[in-house]
Amino acid sequence: MPVAADHLPRLPIHVHAKGLSLGILATVALVFALQWAEKFLVPLLLGIFIAYTLNPLVSFLERWRIKRVIGTTLVTVAIVAGMAVTAQRLQGEFFSILEELPALTHKITKLITDNTDGSPSTIQQIQKAAAEVEQATTNATSGGGAERRLVARRPIITPASSNFKIMDWLLAGSVGLATFLSQATMVIFLVFFLLLSGNTFKRKLVKLTPSLKRKKVTVHILEDINTSIQKYMFMLLVTNTLLALLMWVALRAIGLENAGAWAIFSGLAHVMPYFGPLLITAATGTVAFLQFESLRMVLLVAGMSMAVATLVGMVVTTWMTGKFAKMNPAAVFVSLLFWGWLWGMWGLLLGVPVVVVLKVVAERIEGMEVVAELLGE
């Protein structure tokens, strides 16, 4: 028999209006503060996560009786030198891509604006329709008949060529490159000083904790954060290096130009969960279309890129993430949407480590059990 509405089980909810309002205002203020402090927080978090990842190497050198300042210098110099050597070996391919940009832009513009049968192109038809709508609106809002007749005789001007200027694009890219290099320099120095300090900040944080019980909880939280971040960054290193190697082999076998540069791009883009494979597929498919001008080759390159990214992401990354982080995939995806909206590409890169740290802290602090349960498996 159906249960009467009056006899359905009900859950009493007690709402403290003042506390709820203050919580909403505090959350909104925190979100705006995070967005306002993006240029400071992004290099800081990136440097902290990289320092957590490289700290075991410095500790290993310390066990071999190498002073920490020397070990930190050796590790930092080795990382920077490795990046410099990789960039030097691939600089020819990157410069080749930059040199081909004007030709690629011209080809894209021609494909969009030109039609082989002499009929107006899609861009021209859209511009003509927009001009006719504007003319009709002006006629409807005109006051006098003379003005209406004057507007009616106004010819429709359809641009014959694209107004896209490659120099404006290159100028914007140069400014973005300069900003990236300055932030990368700050991150390198931050990583160096964090590695040099060792456990100093951890000891100070534990020392500032008032009671012995809280000291123990703080130690456990710091140890769990250290372990979780190191495991996650190790997973990123393994999976993205594997993907870059597989992409290089696949693109080189297909015959795509500058395969090494696109393999490096794929390895870096795959750092962003979910969105990285889509970006890799779109970029390699576009390059294949511009090089081969064949739908079959576009499908081959895009399909190969998606297959490699899916293989590495679904098999290796999923297995290692489940073993190390034990995160809820839905919660991770929602958090990526939030951090991506907040900080853009950097948010997609740093979103998962931030959520991992939040989950570790929530598991150890009373009152945050709901957050830990939502983020966990």
Side-chain angles (χ1 to χ4, degrees):
M1 295 179 60
V3 182
D6 296 336
H7 297 86
L8 290 176
R10 299 179 182 274
L11 180 65
I13 299 179
H14 304 283
V15 179
H16 190 267
K18 184 177 180 181
L20 179 61
S21 301
L22 291 176
I24 294 175
L25 291 177
T27 303
V28 173
L30 177 62
V31 170
F32 275 97
L34 290 174
Q35 195 169 29
W36 175 73
E38 175 186 355
K39 293 183 179 180
F40 169 75
L41 291 177
V42 167
L44 178 64
L45 291 176
L46 191 60
I48 292 174
F49 292 147
I50 295 176
Y52 267 109
T53 306
L54 299 178
N55 188 62
L57 295 177
V58 180
S59 301
F60 174 77
L61 295 177
E62 272 191 312
R63 289 194 293 269
W64 285 85
R65 297 182 179 181
I66 298 177
K67 293 183 178 181
R68 190 167 190 88
V69 61
I70 300 177
T72 300
T73 304
L74 291 176
V75 171
T76 306
V77 170
I79 297 298
V80 174
M83 295 173 60
V85 170
T86 303
Q88 183 182 8
R89 288 182 176 274
L90 295 176
Q91 67 176 353
E93 297 188 5
F94 285 110
F95 285 145
S96 176
I97 294 175
L98 293 177
E99 291 174 356
E100 293 174 359
L101 280 178
L104 297 180
T105 304
H106 177 72
K107 184 178 291 187
I108 293 176
T109 304
K110 185 176 180 181
L111 290 173
I112 294 176
T113 58
D114 291 351
N115 283 344
T116 56
D117 56 357
S119 61
S121 66
T122 303
I123 298 296
Q124 293 172 343
Q125 292 175 3
I126 293 175
Q127 291 172 340
K128 182 178 179 181
E132 291 178 351
V133 171
E134 182 181 359
Q135 177 180 336
T137 305
T138 306
N139 290 339
T141 57
S142 298
E147 294 178 356
R148 187 178 296 109
R149 287 192 300 271
L150 179 61
V151 174
R153 296 191 189 98
R154 183 181 301 169
I156 299 174
I157 301 174
T158 304
S161 60
S162 174
N163 294 325
F164 179 79
K165 296 181 179 180
I166 187 64
M167 293 305 299
D168 295 341
W169 187 88
L170 290 177
L171 179 60
S174 301
V175 174
L177 179 60
T179 304
F180 173 77
L181 292 177
S182 62
Q183 291 183 346
T185 304
M186 289 189 293
V187 169
I188 291 173
F189 278 102
L190 180 60
V191 169
F192 175 80
F193 288 116
L194 288 176
L195 289 175
L196 188 61
S197 63
N199 296 324
T200 303
F201 289 103
K202 297 179 183 178
R203 291 196 300 266
K204 290 182 179 295
L205 186 60
V206 173
K207 186 177 180 180
L208 293 174
T209 308
S211 62
L212 179 61
K213 180 180 179 181
R214 292 187 177 182
K215 288 181 185 293
K216 293 181 179 179
V217 174
T218 303
V219 170
H220 286 300
I221 290 176
L222 294 176
E223 290 179 352
D224 290 345
I225 291 176
N226 187 34
T227 303
S228 300
I229 293 300
Q230 288 180 0
K231 289 181 177 180
Y232 178 75
M233 298 300 285
F234 175 74
M235 178 202 68
L236 287 183
L237 178 63
V238 171
T239 54
N240 295 322
T241 302
L242 177 61
L243 182 131
L245 291 175
L246 292 178
M247 286 293 296
W248 178 73
V249 173
L251 297 179
R252 190 177 179 85
I254 292 175
L256 190 70
E257 296 178 354
N258 307 313
W262 290 114
I264 295 295
F265 166 79
S266 301
L268 295 176
H270 194 258
V271 173
M272 299 179 293
Y274 304 109
F275 302 98
L278 298 178
L279 182 60
I280 295 169
T281 304
T284 54
T286 303
V287 173
F289 175 72
L290 295 174
Q291 177 182 340
F292 299 107
E293 298 183 2
S294 169
L295 180 61
R296 184 179 65 85
M297 295 302 297
V298 172
L299 295 177
L300 176 62
V301 174
M304 181 65 69
S305 301
M306 180 60 71
V308 173
T310 303
L311 174 65
V312 176
M314 296 298 293
V315 178
V316 182
T317 305
T318 302
W319 175 75
M320 296 184 73
T321 303
K323 184 178 180 180
F324 293 156
K326 297 181 179 180
M327 301 285 293
N328 182 3
V332 172
F333 185 77
V334 173
S335 65
L336 285 175
L337 291 179
F338 170 76
W339 290 106
W341 165 78
L342 190 67
W343 288 344
M345 300 292 288
W346 288 113
L348 296 176
L349 175 63
L350 299 173
V352 175
V354 171
V355 174
V356 170
V357 173
L358 180 61
K359 176 176 177 290
V360 171
V361 174
E363 289 175 344
R364 294 287 184 175
I365 296 181
E366 296 181 1
M368 297 186 66
E369 294 85 357
V370 176
V371 177
E373 184 64 27
L374 290 175
L375 295 179
E377 290 182 336

